[in-house]
Amino acid sequence: MLEILLDATVRAGTPILFATLGAIINERAGIINLGIEGLMLIGALAGFSGTYLSGSLLVGVLAAFCATFIAGSIHAVITVQLRGNQIVSGLALTMFGVGITALFGKGMVGLTIVGFKRVAIPGLSQLPIIGKAFFNQDMLIYFSFLLVFLLWVFFYRTRWGLGVRSVGENPAAADTCGLSVSKYRFFAVTIGSGLVGIGGAYLSLASTPMWIENMSAGRGWIAVALVIFAGWSSPRAMLGAYLFGGITAMQLRFQAMGTTVSAHILQMLPYFFTILVLVISTLRLKKGASQQPEGLGLPYDREDRK
Amino acid sequence: MPFLFSLPPYMSDILRIENIRKTFPGVIALDDVSFSVARGEIHTLLGENGAGKSTLMNVLTGLYHPDRGQIRIAGEPIHFTSPRDALAFGIGMVHQHFMLVPAHSVFENILLALDNVPNFYSRKTYKEKIQKLIDEFDLDLDLDTPVWKLSIGAQQWIELIKLLMRDCQLLILDEPTAVLTPQEAERLFSVLRHLKKQEKSIIFISHKMREVMEISDCVTILKKGRSIATLTCGDFDESKLASLMIGKDKILQWQKNLQMSDEIVLDIHDLSVRNDRGLSDLDGFNLRLKKGEILGIAGVAGNGQKALAEVLTGLKNTSQGRIMAGGKDITNSNARYSYIAGIAHIPEDRKSIGIAPDMSVDENLIMKSFKSRSFRNWIFQNKKAIRQNAAEKIEQFAIKTGPDGTPVRYLSGGNIQKVIIARELSEHPAVLVALYPTRGLDIGSAGYVHKVIADGADRGMSTILIAEDLDELLKLSDRIAVMFRGKLIGYVNPRKTTREEIGLMMSGEIPGDAA
């Protein structure tokens, strides 16, 4: 019973994990991206179409990454090069994603592909309780584990990572140290968006191997909230994503068991819980040092006189 | 190979600046500036606030693009498009507002400034390299401490080390002593002399005559965006520099009231305030202000002065302690109540909290009294009364403003300050809390602010004057209270004390016998 629940938790949490990690890269560089929901949809459709047309899952994942990299570059050009309003641009990107995937996804509705298969890792998958949930999963989930670790190494052990963090904290300081603020920000937004796209592709290639209109169902927004919960750190993003995944899995379990509580109320639970977690983590943040990048949301103009 | 490194030693002028002009919308920041810097020279740029010193240096480090003019290095004209270019030529700057990432460690801040660091760098190697330089100058810096925990003085050392690690040959220091105690400034000067021996050139920016005389080989005077003279050591003395810098600007004369009553108008007892990071900005702070007194507060910036002003004016809550004003307890009151209780405020950041920049002078002048019956008819504004009030104030305080309805943001710094003063003094407050009231003002405007404070004392107004310039405090105050880490270290008498004594107290040393 616990094994099954844990397994469902990881599977429900993974798309959100990818999206949260992508959003963290954006925000670490100082750019708020509210287009996550739209990017996930673009990733889901691009991933599905890529796999359907080529027959290869890898091509699908790459297609998802590239499509969202390009979509993300719209947000990057508006917010970094043109110094536009990040909130408005992000919201527009979400609406753009919802619309364009509905339009181009019409032909894909009802088609099927063979999705990601589970690959058991010999030895580790035999561990009690956690073995099945963490080491008998598909390749994308293993990739997400790796990504959490790689991102931490990137941010805290590489010069590029230090550059991204500095650009998000104090772009003027980074600029006077000779870093190109716009280059760092541009690639943080586009590559981050690409990861969000892989999260979307997980929905259409692994969770349910088909294309359904608006299949992200608000997960992008959850990811936006989880960035704050995670305090802009990748290991904590994993915790947050699985927490959300766990509640999703649980409410599905309740429904399957046939409780008398309305299904609508149960479906609300994960979102309700997200709000609760946000309130608690914000209160906690206020007491200690805030981890929010100081330059978050502020366009950088070198000649702006304060 | 960058020019500055490969330059033959016999070429003396390593940098020439010719006819630089830079304008911002509505402002000519630099009109026509030329001067040159030799190798191994400490060249001072002297000028009033607003003369264009910082703008000029931002042009020189590639942050601003000049509209006109030429920068030459070793005779070759060059164009900087970013700070990166300037750094490649060995030109680096310690900005007045530090360019540090407060959330990052000292190590990360210095590493960020280094060139050619591999993407996967060895923390150990780089830490050792940086530590070597820190030891060379005998500084007390821990590489793993986050920068926000450090004092302003320590942060400045980090900025200097950033440039030295990059082997900059021309160092620009923008008003580096503004945030230091006299002793710390002395320390900085000895480091600068040491760097001079290593054939490095230094551009030193200041408006403090004392320092300029002490350290400079050469002085260029800037006035209203123009370089009006360059003098070499031996050709100048303090009075000559001062007359060149200020020119024919008239300085207002005022007399200080020497009698005060012993009536206490403000009594602060055991006050503590916590900041957003959970640390104490004020820690058991005590202060007593007499009627008609100008009480100067000395201290290195960031030792609780801002919190003190904010608590007194009701902008911040206390966690402990009591504030009594004229017999009333005003602890944790809001800003409006404080104002009615007779406490007026000249804030530190005049543009962001002193005024509403896009509203007119008329509207800004009644911002604290718009609820008064004289400025309204039922729920509507009484435009006529508001206009008349503004006309009176504009005349009384000699505010230079554009046509009626001009947004305040287009006024000069000095005139914005006059608008704030006119508004704050209109209800004849008992106490004025002035936080760095002359910061960024030219000498004429600063003199005006001093006169207003001194005249106010004649009428019985008490002033808490928080300033960073010791000379200003010594000139104006009846008593000086010294603050360190949120505590009152002690009082000194400005007519009996020395700069050294205040300096020691500013670094936390409690004097043996109180003044």
Side-chain angles (χ1 to χ4, degrees):
Chain A
M1 168 71 195
L2 187 62
E3 273 190 337
I4 300 171
L5 207 60
L6 262 181
D7 175 63
T9 295
V10 172
R11 298 189 69 83
T14 298
I16 296 165
L17 177 57
F18 275 112
T20 310
L21 294 178
I24 285 176
I25 299 178
N26 274 266
E27 297 203 0
R28 274 289 191 182
I31 304 289
I32 299 171
N33 191 342
L34 295 185
I36 306 294
E37 177 78 3
L39 289 169
M40 279 186 97
L41 284 170
I42 293 171
L45 180 63
F48 182 82
S49 315
T51 303
Y52 180 78
L53 296 173
S54 70
S56 153
L57 287 166
L58 183 65
V59 171
V61 172
L62 288 178
F65 183 86
C66 293
T68 45
F69 185 97
I70 293 164
S73 67
I74 302 174
H75 186 57
V77 169
I78 293 174
T79 57
V80 181
Q81 266 75 20
L82 305 177
R83 303 183 193 102
N85 184 309
Q86 302 179 3
I87 306 291
V88 174
S89 167
L91 288 174
L93 185 58
T94 285
M95 285 186 266
F96 170 74
V98 172
I100 200 167
T101 51
L103 180 67
F104 289 104
K106 280 225 163 69
M108 294 287 164
V109 176
L111 301 176
T112 52
I113 52 164
V114 180
F116 274 98
K117 290 264 177 353
R118 286 173 193 267
V119 183
I121 296 178
L124 287 173
S125 59
Q126 305 304 316
L127 288 172
I129 305 173
I130 60 161
K132 278 249 157 45
F134 291 96
F135 304 108
N136 184 23
Q137 292 289 13
D138 54 61
M139 293 310 282
L140 270 184
I141 289 183
Y142 298 141
F143 177 54
S144 75
F145 297 164
L146 190 66
L147 201 59
V148 168
F149 173 72
L150 286 181
L151 261 190
W152 185 87
V153 171
F154 172 75
F155 279 133
Y156 294 100
R157 287 290 177 269
T158 71
R159 183 172 155 83
W160 287 342
L162 176 62
V164 172
R165 285 191 291 136
S166 304
V167 159
E169 289 278 350
N170 185 352
D175 195 9
T176 51
C177 287
L179 275 68
S180 165
V181 175
S182 52
K183 249 184 230 163
Y184 271 94
R185 285 193 159 175
F186 184 89
F187 284 110
V189 172
T190 48
I191 292 172
S193 298
L195 289 185
V196 175
I198 295 180
Y202 189 85
L203 296 170
S204 64
L205 299 180
S207 300
T208 47
M210 57 172 84
W211 164 251
I212 306 161
E213 203 181 306
N214 212 1
M215 71 189 302
S216 58
R219 286 181 181 84
W221 295 113
I222 301 283
V224 170
L226 284 183
V227 174
I228 300 165
F229 167 74
W232 292 266
S233 113
S234 61
R236 285 184 49 189
M238 195 169 188
L239 184 77
Y242 290 160
L243 203 68
F244 179 83
I247 294 165
T248 311
M250 236 168 357
Q251 65 93 3
L252 284 172
R253 195 84 203 149
F254 280 136
Q255 284 190 49
M257 290 191 315
T259 56
T260 51
V261 183
S262 156
H264 297 292
I265 302 244
L266 285 175
Q267 279 165 9
M268 243 166 57
L269 274 180
Y271 303 96
F272 172 75
F273 203 75
T274 309
I275 295 173
L276 201 73
V277 160
L278 258 189
V279 170
I280 293 167
S281 56
T282 315
L283 285 179
R284 196 174 41 87
L285 271 182
K286 264 203 166 155
K287 279 186 196 150
S290 165
Q291 292 137 312
Q292 175 172 324
E294 263 181 57
L296 185 63
L298 306 173
Y300 177 61
D301 182 358
R302 187 183 280 161
E303 298 215 356
D304 192 17
R305 297 224 295 180
K306 280 174 199 145
Chain B
M1 194 71 177
F3 278 113
L4 283 187
F5 298 95
S6 54
L7 206 66
Y10 54 81
M11 281 204 72
S12 63
D13 279 2
I14 59 166
L15 174 82
R16 278 188 80 81
I17 285 179
E18 294 169 354
N19 308 100
I20 294 282
R21 182 184 170 91
K22 171 74 188 170
T23 56
F24 291 100
V27 194
I28 302 170
L30 293 175
D31 197 356
D32 183 2
V33 178
S34 310
F35 72 98
S36 57
V37 180
R39 181 183 287 269
E41 172 184 79
I42 299 182
H43 193 118
T44 298
L45 272 185
L46 180 69
E48 284 197 62
N49 288 309
K53 294 168 299 194
S54 297
T55 309
L56 178 62
M57 291 306 108
N58 283 334
V59 168
L60 188 52
T61 52
L63 273 171
Y64 294 166
H65 298 290
D67 303 340
R68 207 182 63 198
Q70 191 66 259
I71 299 172
R72 285 175 192 273
I73 287 182
E76 299 281 328
I78 46 151
H79 295 278
F80 294 144
T81 55
S82 74
R84 193 187 180 81
D85 295 348
L87 282 169
F89 279 96
I91 299 177
M93 174 160 172
V94 175
H95 291 260
Q96 202 175 356
H97 301 283
F98 299 150
M99 294 294 185
L100 295 171
V101 180
H104 290 179
S105 69
V106 175
F107 172 67
E108 286 175 320
N109 270 286
I110 297 173
L111 190 78
L112 186 73
L114 298 189
D115 209 10
N116 300 326
V117 178
N119 194 30
F120 292 93
Y121 55 89
S122 153
R123 288 169 77 83
K124 198 164 155 268
T125 321
Y126 279 97
K127 274 194 175 171
E128 278 168 5
K129 271 188 193 174
I130 296 168
Q131 192 63 51
K132 215 178 116 198
L133 194 67
I134 290 178
D135 294 341
E136 186 188 327
F137 290 104
D138 195 23
L139 299 174
D140 180 28
L141 274 179
D142 174 39
L143 285 178
D144 294 318
T145 319
V147 164
W148 63 265
K149 282 191 178 167
L150 297 175
S151 71
I152 307 275
Q155 293 186 18
Q156 188 158 12
W157 287 119
I158 301 174
E159 286 282 40
L160 200 58
I161 285 174
K162 272 164 67 174
L163 303 186
L164 295 177
M165 283 300 291
R166 234 186 138 125
D167 207 15
C168 285
Q169 297 300 306
L170 175 64
L171 306 166
I172 303 168
L173 290 96
D174 193 355
E175 307 229 358
T177 56
V179 295
L180 302 179
T181 64
Q183 285 83 358
E184 284 174 320
E186 229 11 87
R187 181 85 193 284
L188 176 71
F189 288 159
S190 75
V191 168
L192 294 187
R193 288 192 194 98
H194 179 76
L195 293 173
K196 187 180 149 178
K197 276 191 206 125
Q198 299 176 355
E199 292 277 277
K200 291 184 194 296
S201 309
I202 292 158
I203 296 181
F204 179 77
I205 300 177
S206 181
H207 62 256
K208 293 185 189 166
M209 216 60 78
R210 188 189 314 273
E211 298 167 2
V212 175
M213 293 303 297
E214 183 178 342
I215 190 101
S216 321
D217 297 320
C218 211
V219 179
T220 291
I221 295 152
L222 283 192
K223 190 168 152 57
K224 292 182 180 151
R226 291 170 165 272
S227 49
I228 56 168
T230 297
L231 304 167
T232 45
C233 191
D235 288 351
F236 56 80
D237 55 32
E238 272 193 47
S239 65
K240 184 166 184 189
L241 290 180
S243 66
L244 277 169
M245 177 166 104
I246 302 159
K248 287 193 240 32
D249 286 357
K250 215 173 75 196
I251 296 180
L252 287 167
Q253 295 300 316
W254 43 267
Q255 273 295 312
K256 214 163 70 176
N257 171 25
L258 290 173
Q259 285 116 30
M260 344 163 223
S261 66
D262 280 337
E263 187 189 339
I264 300 284
V265 287
L266 191 73
D267 185 4
I268 302 170
H269 180 70
D270 194 25
L271 193 67
S272 293
V273 174
R274 281 177 188 284
N275 62 19
D276 304 338
R277 284 182 161 128
L279 305 172
S280 292
D281 272 345
L282 287 180
D283 185 9
F285 186 79
N286 295 296
L287 195 74
R288 289 181 144 204
L289 182 67
K290 295 176 193 159
K291 188 174 164 68
E293 178 183 40
I294 301 171
L295 178 61
I297 306 258
V300 177
N303 275 293
Q305 296 95 324
K306 194 176 175 191
L308 174 65
E310 286 177 343
V311 163
L312 287 176
T313 52
L315 295 172
K316 207 168 204 171
N317 279 347
T318 55
S319 54
Q320 182 192 317
R322 188 172 47 87
I323 307 170
M324 303 288 286
K328 268 187 289 187
D329 188 344
I330 61 157
T331 319
N332 293 341
S333 64
N334 64 28
R336 183 157 184 81
Y337 185 81
S338 297
Y339 182 64
I340 292 166
I343 298 181
H345 183 204
I346 299 178
E348 174 185 22
D349 191 345
R350 66 182 76 97
K351 268 197 174 160
S352 69
I353 64 170
I355 52 163
D358 285 316
M359 289 170 78
S360 70
V361 175
D362 297 17
E363 288 165 320
N364 271 286
L365 280 171
I366 57 152
M367 209 158 270
K368 281 196 167 168
S369 44
F370 67 96
K371 284 190 175 176
S372 139
R373 278 188 192 283
S374 50
F375 295 128
R376 64 187 169 95
N377 294 321
W378 186 42
I379 60 167
F380 299 102
Q381 296 177 0
N382 183 348
K383 282 280 181 196
K384 218 170 137 190
I386 292 171
R387 178 66 228 154
Q388 198 191 340
N389 169 65
E392 281 167 19
K393 292 278 189 287
I394 286 172
E395 203 194 320
Q396 186 188 345
F397 289 87
I399 302 168
K400 276 193 203 124
T401 166
D404 292 358
T406 305
V408 175
R409 68 155 72 242
Y410 293 118
L411 272 55
S412 71
N415 282 302
I416 290 179
Q417 196 71 315
K418 283 180 179 175
V419 170
I420 295 171
I421 290 172
R423 181 185 69 209
E424 295 295 325
L425 298 189
S426 57
E427 306 272 314
H428 307 291
V431 177
L432 174 68
V433 180
L435 192 55
Y436 308 115
T438 58
R439 183 184 275 177
L441 298 186
D442 58 81
I443 290 183
S445 306
Y448 188 86
V449 172
H450 291 163
K451 182 172 154 57
V452 165
I453 292 174
D455 288 352
D458 279 343
R459 292 192 311 269
M461 179 179 81
S462 315
T463 301
I464 293 183
L465 173 67
I466 301 173
E468 57 199 1
D469 186 353
L470 278 187
D471 294 324
E472 182 180 5
L473 286 173
L474 289 169
K475 193 170 78 176
L476 208 60
S477 316
D478 298 311
R479 269 193 312 164
I480 295 178
V482 186
M483 273 181 97
F484 178 72
R485 297 210 176 134
K487 282 191 169 72
L488 176 72
I489 296 300
Y491 294 100
V492 293
N493 182 336
R495 274 162 289 280
K496 287 180 190 154
T497 187
T498 59
R499 298 170 61 83
E500 286 64 38
E501 185 188 23
I502 299 183
L504 284 174
M505 288 169 78
M506 278 161 77
S507 51
E509 276 187 40
I510 296 164
D513 51 337

